[in-house]
Amino acid sequence: MSEIYDIGYRHYEGPRLGRAHAVRALITQNLRSIFGLGRRARSKLMPFLLAASMLLLPVVSIAMMAMLGRNDIGYTNYPVIMQAVIAIFLASQSPTITAPDLRFKVLPLYLSRPVSTLDYVAAKVVAMATALFALVALPLTVMYAGELLVDPPGPPHTKEYVAGLVTALLLALLLSTFGLALASFTPRRGLGVASVIAVYLLASAVSTVLFATFESMGRADVAQWAWLVNPFFLVDSVQSWLFGTTPANGYTYPAGVFSALLLAALLGLSLTAFILRYRKAASR
Amino acid sequence: MHILATEGLTQRFPTVTALDQLSVTVEAGVTGLVGANGAGKSTLIKILLGLLPQTAGRAEVLGLDVVTHGPQIRALVGYMPEHDCLPPDVSATELVVHLAQISGLPRTAARERAADVLRHVGLYEERYRAIGGYSTGMKQRVKLAQALVHDPQLVFLDEPTNGLDPQGRDEMLTLIRRIGTEFGISVLVTSHLLGELERVCDHVIVIDGGRLLRSSAITEFTQSTQILTVEVEEGAEPLAARLTELGQSVTAHGRGLLVQVDGPETYDTIRDAVCDLDLCLIRLEQGRQRIEDVFRV
């Protein structure tokens, strides 16, 4: 069989591209994993279902705008409203790009090529952040396009839309590093999903309980700090500090500088943990 | 030209010394790296790929220093890891195309090369199926294909025959020989079985406990150690006497005789002795474990 088609071994004389090309290929591959492209239909179900449900709110908003002439679209509080869906997306898809690597020990295949562990890790963060950004930014863009088309009374909310995009980027960076770092501690996908969602639920619950407790003690000044335990409100507080938007929690946040510092610290911490985890895996 | 050279290469881990003052040079062609498990073979490959900084000494691959030129070396070298390392949920084609891109090939070239190389290693229609369903033999072929896809000048194959049945082992060894000759890619192949490498290598390096035991051309190995098994229908004793008389070292072994090969003339001597004594020659076979015999002595 082989003899018929065998035209002998041919050497490759074409161009050899550098590290940037390799990193781009890694990012693409990770994005394909996140959305289940090139894999079974079952792998595509979750990410696309969640992405579609993110579009529900913009569609309803546009309809309200068109039929009732109302113009109160939530560009800035959209991530907070949709936080459960975003958290589920993060939990279900983060382990798809960390667990198989670690479980099936594929690192030697990459590290024996001209990419470093850092390139490899950076590509994962960029891919996950891109996916999360798209998840939030696409519905916002649909909403904005709808607003421009329907043209309800009053000026268009361009400033709010831009604020929404910047917030989406910050949120994507924080969640992706945090989710990936957490998911990478186990080579088992199911455990990774469970740990990310558990941490989100815990943070959300602790935040609410702390707020309620301090509020009932009449310590509103302390209670406002409780919001920052939930990453979605943390990013929202940074947004309201940067763009002067109304807080999505309906209350007030502590001074924005602290939120921004906390956000930066969390980002740095997660990123460091993620890199160290892969350094350890690479050395084996 | 040396394809790789080490000088006083030493690698110490907290509890063990994996490589101890290893100085060795390797020429183009197929080179076997032999040693028991834990002899330091995999450590040596990691250092040569620039993935593990050595404790002391120097190492060069294709004229490039491993410490300062790691990425350049890794662009020119292919590596087939010893252990399982394949993701089960993608097809062989998708994985090999992707890894070709990581090695710097543009997408179209990566596709062409992947198709070519998968065919060369003997994967046909099954290359579109997910790797999870492959047999061990097929997985080894995918691992070999990814090491070759970027047309390297040198490949490191770490225990490529691990876990294969005798037929798969044979096919893998034939393939390795072809890579070294027909493909024109130098090969450094490790194994803990000496006899296996004898078939495919031009040169063999033996390490033990991180030290160099021996490094020499395969011909040197076999010439000094080759043993022939001679079996005749009847009259083994007269034949043994005759051969001893003619200056051959002969030992009786079961129904046959073991004759030390001193050179090509040994074959003539045996043939002539059998003819002169008018015996029926049933078997004249090269000993199976020739290289091992060297180390036993």
Side-chain angles (χ1 to χ4, degrees):
Chain A
M1 182 165 76
S2 67
E3 278 76 15
I4 302 171
Y5 301 102
D6 201 346
I7 49 169
Y9 183 80
R10 287 181 295 174
H11 284 283
Y12 176 70
E13 312 284 352
R16 287 175 193 267
L17 308 170
R19 210 173 118 190
H21 170 76
V23 172
R24 264 203 308 279
L26 273 173
I27 294 172
T28 315
Q29 180 78 359
N30 281 317
L31 273 172
R32 285 171 63 84
S33 298
I34 292 170
F35 288 102
L37 303 174
R39 284 156 185 78
R40 286 166 305 177
R42 215 179 66 194
S43 315
K44 296 181 186 67
L45 190 69
M46 198 68 172
F48 281 99
L49 205 66
L50 292 171
S53 64
M54 290 291 286
L55 284 167
L56 227 59
L57 188 64
V59 169
V60 172
S61 297
I62 293 168
M64 299 261 282
M65 214 159 29
M67 290 186 293
L68 309 172
R70 286 180 55 181
N71 190 4
D72 51 356
I73 314 168
Y75 289 107
T76 54
N77 59 5
Y78 179 70
V80 166
I81 295 171
M82 299 303 286
Q83 58 176 295
V85 179
I86 300 170
I88 293 170
F89 184 90
L90 179 72
S92 70
Q93 301 316 112
S94 294
T96 60
I97 59 170
T98 57
D101 280 29
L102 298 168
R103 182 161 175 200
F104 301 105
K105 302 185 173 61
V106 301
L107 251 65
L109 296 181
Y110 290 93
L111 299 182
S112 60
R113 297 183 144 77
V115 286
S116 64
T117 314
L118 213 57
D119 295 336
Y120 190 75
V121 170
K124 287 199 186 297
V125 174
V126 171
M128 195 68 216
T130 307
L132 283 171
F133 178 73
L135 189 75
V136 179
L138 183 72
L140 288 180
T141 308
V142 168
M143 251 191 259
Y144 187 63
E147 189 187 353
L148 292 184
L149 280 173
V150 173
D151 197 15
H157 296 75
T158 309
K159 187 172 163 270
E160 282 80 0
Y161 169 61
V162 172
L165 289 186
V166 173
T167 307
L169 187 66
L170 287 178
L171 188 71
L173 284 171
L174 175 65
L175 291 184
S176 60
T177 48
F178 191 70
L180 288 174
L182 212 57
S184 72
F185 278 92
T186 166
R188 309 186 61 129
R189 186 177 293 196
L191 220 54
V193 173
S195 54
V196 176
I197 203 75
V199 168
Y200 162 71
L201 288 176
L202 200 70
S204 168
V206 166
S207 169
T208 314
V209 169
L210 280 180
F211 177 77
T213 313
F214 286 116
E215 187 77 355
S216 69
M217 287 160 68
R219 297 288 307 273
D221 55 326
V222 183
Q224 61 182 358
W225 286 89
W227 291 109
L228 305 188
V229 175
N230 182 328
F232 290 90
F233 287 114
L234 173 65
V235 174
D236 185 56
S237 76
V238 173
Q239 174 181 243
S240 85
W241 174 60
L242 284 177
F243 298 98
T245 53
T246 323
N249 60 4
Y251 295 85
T252 53
Y253 291 121
V257 188
F258 295 113
S259 305
L261 283 176
L262 188 60
L263 177 77
L266 265 177
L267 244 169
L269 205 69
S270 310
L271 201 57
T272 313
F274 191 42
I275 292 168
L276 287 180
R277 175 68 184 95
Y278 268 84
R279 282 259 163 87
K280 186 179 159 211
S283 69
R284 259 193 250 135
Chain B
M1 182 207 148
H2 298 324
I3 53 163
L4 67 90
T6 70
E7 214 183 284
L9 194 64
T10 302
Q11 181 66 53
R12 285 192 205 93
F13 293 115
T15 50
V16 281
T17 300
L19 292 175
D20 192 3
Q21 293 287 325
L22 186 73
S23 296
V24 70
T25 56
V26 174
E27 308 293 319
V30 183
T31 304
L33 179 62
V34 189
N37 291 330
K41 292 169 295 183
S42 299
T43 304
L44 177 61
I45 289 183
K46 271 193 185 169
I47 292 175
L48 293 174
L49 283 168
L51 295 177
L52 184 69
Q54 68 266 33
T55 315
R58 278 172 50 77
E60 272 188 0
V61 177
L62 303 166
L64 300 165
D65 189 281
V66 295
V67 175
T68 53
H69 291 77
Q72 288 93 322
I73 291 173
R74 293 196 293 274
L76 299 170
V77 170
Y79 170 53
M80 173 176 174
E82 175 184 359
H83 301 289
D84 282 343
C85 55
L86 302 172
D89 59 339
V90 294
S91 68
T93 299
E94 179 162 350
L95 179 73
V96 177
V97 169
H98 170 58
L99 289 171
Q101 286 183 285
I102 303 297
S103 284
L105 270 60
R107 188 158 179 82
T108 17
R111 287 192 164 283
E112 269 173 40
R113 286 283 314 171
D116 262 20
V117 163
L118 284 166
R119 183 169 46 76
H120 278 300
V121 301
L123 283 176
Y124 301 95
E125 291 313 308
E126 57 272 31
R127 67 175 188 260
Y128 301 111
R129 292 205 323 255
I131 295 171
Y134 285 14
S135 67
T136 309
M138 283 156 71
K139 283 182 184 163
Q140 289 295 86
R141 285 163 197 263
V142 179
K143 278 161 67 181
L144 183 60
Q146 66 77 30
L148 294 172
V149 72
H150 51 296
D151 190 27
Q153 292 176 24
L154 167 67
V155 281
F156 295 136
L157 310 179
D158 202 352
E159 305 273 359
T161 55
N162 240 3
L164 297 180
D165 57 20
Q167 196 201 336
R169 204 167 271 258
D170 259 13
E171 287 170 1
M172 181 57 78
L173 291 172
T174 312
L175 204 52
I176 293 168
R177 187 68 210 160
R178 275 183 65 205
I179 293 166
T181 51
E182 205 181 300
F183 297 10
I185 298 171
S186 291
V187 179
L188 182 74
V189 49
T190 75
S191 177
H192 54 269
L193 301 171
L194 290 152
E196 187 167 88
L197 294 183
E198 183 179 38
R199 279 182 42 198
V200 297
C201 296
D202 305 314
H203 195 98
V204 171
I205 293 167
V206 186
I207 57 173
D208 186 40
R211 289 167 178 275
L212 181 67
L213 262 191
R214 180 165 183 177
S215 166
S216 49
I218 198 82
T219 45
E220 286 175 42
F221 268 103
T222 42
Q223 259 169 20
S224 59
T225 62
Q226 205 160 305
I227 302 230
L228 286 175
T229 307
V230 183
E231 203 178 315
V232 287
E233 210 165 60
E234 272 171 7
E237 278 167 31
L239 180 63
R242 182 60 175 268
L243 288 172
T244 315
E245 196 179 301
L246 290 167
Q248 303 294 330
S249 41
V250 184
T251 44
H253 182 77
R255 296 184 55 208
L257 302 171
L258 296 179
V259 182
Q260 185 101 33
V261 180
D262 300 324
E265 62 280 0
T266 302
Y267 294 90
D268 297 342
T269 314
I270 295 170
R271 180 199 60 202
D272 295 344
V274 171
C275 282
D276 291 349
L277 294 170
D278 205 17
L279 299 173
C280 276
L281 184 63
I282 299 172
R283 187 154 73 112
L284 180 63
E285 189 187 51
Q286 292 190 329
R288 283 237 177 102
Q289 296 169 317
R290 282 158 292 168
I291 298 183
E292 278 94 330
D293 295 338
V294 187
F295 301 100
R296 220 173 278 141
V297 174

